[in-house]
Amino acid sequence: MLKPYLAMAALALIWGVSFLLIKVAVHDMSPTVLVLLRSASGLLGLAVIVKAMGRPLIGPGWRTRLGSFAFMAITNAIVPWVAIAWGEERISSGLASILNSTTTLWTAVLIYWAMPSERPSIVNYVGVLIGLAGVVILVLPDLSSHGLSANFFGTLAVLVASLSYALNAIYQRTRMRNVSVFDISIGQIAAATVFAVPLAIPTLPSVHVDPVSLGAVLALGAGGTGIAYLLYYYVMNSLGAVRASGVTLLVPVTAVFWGVVLLGERVSLPMVIGMVVILAGIVLTNLRRAGERRQPELDRDTAAA
């Protein structure tokens, strides 16, 4: 069952550059305008992919799921995207990546009551904590040189975003588990676009259209939203909520990768140690109890990404 882990690695690579793109975009637009452009471009990009595959944009029965699409749009787009963008105006991206990694911890805590059948083992919880420790080690050089730059409300905003992501993961596993990843992705991105319009309108006149920031938000939408949603919900259906949310622990690792590839940054010893610790945490998080069966592939429409 290698495909879900390859999808998780691809997702981590995509999301690893997202914090950089957000940082670039919020220089010239408000967080709410960023959300509108990100969701709209993500919807367009995903629609192109779906139609190119010869699939309908959304399957039958979508009207009965409007409430679910709305809830998922709020918890996986509107709240976290606005909160992270707003938070990154006040705290460093290194600190934001640490706080974002707590999504796995929130999911592991919430799932204990929400989904006893997927309740993690003690070893899994240890893996989550080790992974979080690795994230701290990984970004420690940046935090040491630039400081925490911590604003209480900025920190709180990113924590709220992480909790919102965790709620979305639990909801998907309990209410939308057997729905096609294409329908889930299209439905919630469309709902997010609708919700973002009235939020963005008040600040639209102050938007400074710069090619770099515009390109950043369009890339964030097409890749970090459209393609990423398909990968994320495929991993969710295959590995479960806690294991899928573990991708947030990998994001700082891929951020280091992009720094080396795109910016020519050097890899230091603390970075190597941090990445090894994170990967060890991921392995422990994905260990299954003796006798626990892997989730079977659902149906071709649901599992394909």
Side-chain angles (χ1 to χ4, degrees):
M1 195 175 178
L2 183 60
K3 287 197 298 182
Y5 293 102
L6 293 176
M8 179 183 282
L11 182 59
L13 284 170
I14 293 172
W15 279 348
V17 77
S18 293
F19 281 96
L20 172 62
L21 296 175
I22 291 171
K23 202 75 173 178
V24 171
V26 293
H27 280 301
D28 299 307
M29 63 189 70
S30 70
T32 52
V33 171
L34 186 152
V35 169
L36 174 59
L37 294 179
R38 178 178 180 177
S39 56
S41 58
L43 178 60
L44 178 60
L46 186 55
V48 170
I49 293 172
V50 171
K51 294 305 293 183
M53 296 176 67
R55 299 177 54 92
L57 283 181
I58 196 162
W62 61 269
R63 290 181 179 84
T64 64
R65 303 188 183 109
L66 288 178
S68 293
F69 291 150
F71 180 83
M72 296 185 76
I74 292 170
T75 55
N76 206 40
I78 299 299
V79 170
W81 293 354
V82 171
I84 289 174
W86 190 85
E88 280 205 55
E89 291 179 323
R90 292 158 177 82
I91 64 175
S92 69
S93 58
L95 179 56
S97 69
I98 293 177
L99 298 171
N100 184 65
S101 298
T102 62
T103 296
T104 309
L105 184 58
W106 288 120
T107 306
V109 170
L110 293 174
I111 208 168
Y112 189 88
W113 292 278
M115 293 189 68
S117 63
E118 289 191 14
R119 187 175 292 172
S121 66
I122 295 298
V123 173
N124 296 148
Y125 281 113
V126 170
V128 171
L129 295 177
I130 290 175
L132 290 173
V135 172
V136 175
I137 295 171
L138 184 62
V139 302
L140 196 59
D142 179 65
L143 296 180
S144 299
S145 59
H146 299 97
L148 286 176
S149 302
N151 173 285
F152 173 77
F153 292 106
T155 299
L156 184 61
V158 182
L159 282 175
V160 168
S162 300
L163 177 58
S164 185
Y165 280 137
L167 288 171
N168 179 270
I170 299 297
Y171 188 87
Q172 192 275 337
R173 288 296 287 174
T174 56
R175 301 293 183 89
M176 303 287 281
R177 185 172 180 167
N178 296 314
V179 179
S180 164
V181 294
F182 296 97
D183 287 359
I184 292 175
S185 301
I186 287 280
Q188 69 174 295
I189 295 178
T193 304
V194 172
F195 291 152
V197 171
L199 295 176
I201 285 176
T203 58
L204 278 175
S206 62
V207 172
H208 172 66
V209 181
D210 179 83
V212 175
S213 58
L214 185 60
V217 75
L218 292 178
L220 188 64
T225 302
I227 296 174
Y229 268 20
L230 294 178
L231 293 172
Y232 179 61
Y233 289 114
Y234 167 62
V235 175
M236 183 83 69
N237 284 337
S238 301
L239 300 180
V242 174
R243 295 177 179 100
S245 63
V247 70
T248 59
L249 297 174
L250 287 173
V251 168
V253 175
T254 58
V256 170
F257 168 81
W258 288 122
V260 172
V261 172
L262 299 179
L263 303 177
E265 296 177 346
R266 298 180 62 181
V267 178
S268 65
L269 181 60
M271 290 180 179
V272 174
I273 295 173
M275 287 187 284
V276 170
V277 173
I278 288 172
L279 293 176
I282 291 290
V283 170
L284 292 178
T285 303
N286 281 276
L287 286 181
R288 299 170 187 268
R289 295 185 181 92
E292 181 184 355
R293 291 185 176 182
R294 292 181 179 273
Q295 279 293 329
E297 298 289 336
L298 299 178
D299 54 61
R300 186 164 58 89
D301 287 344
T302 302

